Amino acid sequence: MKFKGVIFDLDGVICFTDKFHYQAWKKLADRLGIEFDEKINDRLRGVSRMASLEIILEKSARAYSDAEKESFAAEKNDAYRALLENMGKSDVSEEVRDTLSELRARGVLLAIGSSSRNTPLILEKTGMKQYFDAVSDGNNITRSKPDPEVFLKAAQFLNLAPADCLVVEDAVAGIDAGFSGGFRTAAIGEATNYDRPDYKLTTFSDLLKIVD
Ligand code: B16
Ligand code: MG
């Protein structure tokens, strides 16, 4: 078996919450009078909440204190969590569920490796917790992607070496994180335009050809 474990990024791989991130950041940016569009939002993929805020504030005419930044991040998160409340099982495709079930049936261990501190809420809302043997997320790391910490923790939770695991990512920062942690990587979505991943997925179920 080429891989004993597969570690999945959450947003942009298992489900799509980028539209909610966008709406919540947009609300904050509009209130502060800061320019923010979909192009800037693309730069926030896989990036932590505070690092995302710093990117948004690049367009701000004035500087803010750390306390103000903390309160902006909390304001955005409240708006984001309110949007997540509307998520349900239909926010994860049948293709994703079937592929995960098949990988489990083949004896492959599965984990989440997400920067998001809202991972537990998203997994609960979408009913996806049961598919994963371990969850490593923004709540158990101190360094965000492209640092490999979130994936190294996931491999540790699975009791597997990085060399035995495949990391599946939609963000360039996530592919870099996988690479520097000693994992092989598979890109989906945006990250397929990057030259570093070992594999590129046209569709999620392509994983079944890689992890055999
Ligand atoms: P939160 P991933 C990432 O999730 C998102 O892609 C990124 O846009 C977000 O800023 C980050 O989580 C932190 O999220 O504010 O919920 O802690 O792609 O690593 O699953
Ligand atoms: Mg992602």
Side-chain angles (χ1 to χ4, degrees):
M1 197 186 286
K2 240 191 288 182
F3 296 101
K4 293 181 182 163
V6 183
I7 303 170
F8 296 89
D9 172 57
L10 182 61
D11 296 335
V13 173
I14 301 295
C15 60
F16 298 89
T17 54
D18 42 350
K19 53 187 180 294
F20 301 138
H21 280 295
Y22 177 72
Q23 286 171 42
W25 282 125
K26 179 75 178 149
K27 199 171 164 197
L28 175 73
D30 284 353
R31 185 177 79 68
L32 298 175
I34 297 171
E35 179 195 334
F36 179 63
D37 57 21
E38 304 264 1
K39 203 163 164 251
I40 301 172
N41 193 56
D42 274 347
R43 290 175 57 204
L44 310 184
R45 266 177 232 283
V47 174
S48 73
R49 197 178 308 162
M50 285 312 278
S52 298
L53 178 63
E54 293 294 348
I55 291 172
I56 288 163
L57 294 181
E58 283 172 13
K59 295 273 182 195
S60 169
R62 55 160 287 196
Y64 291 97
S65 68
D66 286 350
E68 284 171 313
K69 288 179 189 173
E70 287 291 343
S71 105
F72 294 158
E75 182 181 332
K76 180 266 174 178
N77 196 49
D78 287 346
Y80 178 60
R81 284 180 73 93
L83 294 166
L84 291 181
E85 283 300 325
N86 301 317
M87 284 188 97
K89 288 198 167 159
S90 62
D91 284 292
V92 176
S93 71
E94 284 296 317
E95 181 186 5
V96 167
R97 287 172 195 275
D98 291 349
T99 304
L100 297 178
S101 295
E102 173 60 23
L103 290 174
R104 288 180 71 84
R106 293 181 189 182
V108 180
L109 295 177
L110 308 183
I112 287 288
S114 167
S115 301
S116 177
R117 295 171 73 178
N118 291 300
T119 295
L121 177 63
I122 297 168
L123 292 179
E124 187 208 309
K125 284 280 164 195
T126 54
M128 291 305 290
K129 231 177 131 187
Q130 55 181 319
Y131 290 87
F132 301 100
D133 301 286
V135 175
S136 172
D137 64 28
N139 300 296
N140 63 250
I141 55 169
T142 53
R143 294 177 303 276
S144 190
K145 300 169 190 174
D147 189 284
E149 186 181 11
V150 74
F151 296 136
L152 291 173
K153 286 264 167 64
Q156 204 181 313
F157 294 158
L158 294 177
N159 275 317
L160 294 175
D164 289 326
C165 301
L166 177 71
V167 161
V168 186
E169 259 290 351
D170 71 310
V172 165
I175 296 290
D176 286 343
F179 181 82
S180 64
F183 298 87
R184 277 164 290 169
T185 58
I188 192 162
E190 279 286 312
T192 55
N193 300 317
Y194 192 36
D195 57 10
R196 211 173 204 185
D198 298 288
Y199 306 94
K200 293 185 181 186
L201 309 178
T202 305
T203 184
F204 193 86
S205 57
D206 285 349
L207 273 176
L208 298 175
K209 296 182 231 160
I210 300 168
V211 186
D212 49 16

